[in-house]
Amino acid sequence: MQQSEPQVADNQEARRFEITVDGALAGFADYRLTGPRISFTHTEIDPAFEGRGLGSTLVRAALDAARDAGLSVLPFCPFVQRFIQRHADYLDLVPADQRARFSLDGGQGSE
């Protein structure tokens, strides 16, 4: 049976982005919304779904949603921090005065 593409949705009631695969919850990225800022606090992928790149798919979608909403990002979650370090095209979401706090002041990133 062929699997469908992973789906990412913002579950605002639970304050987290969720990724599902064939209708099953595969992981989530918790956040806090404070005014014009979104703080990502924890990202988790169910062990049954690990190794498929779902964490990156989830974080990319969450960061894209933050950009679309005009929010700045505070990446307290280490996974989100590392994602931004590796993908410099998302660095602009983190306020310049907050980048050193998250070890993002170098701005180097690669695909």
Side-chain angles (χ1 to χ4, degrees), residues 32-90:
R32 288 189 319 265
L33 202 53
T34 308
R37 291 190 172 171
I38 187 168
S39 299
F40 288 98
T41 58
H42 179 71
T43 302
E44 189 172 317
I45 297 296
D46 185 302
F49 293 93
E50 286 180 352
R52 301 185 197 180
L54 296 176
S56 292
T57 299
L58 172 61
V59 169
R60 183 180 308 276
L63 293 174
D64 287 344
R67 185 184 307 281
D68 291 345
L71 299 171
S72 58
V73 171
L74 298 178
F76 290 101
C77 169
F79 187 88
V80 177
Q81 285 178 27
R82 286 190 304 272
F83 184 90
I84 293 172
Q85 285 172 336
R86 291 189 314 265
H87 301 90
D89 49 320
Y90 289 100

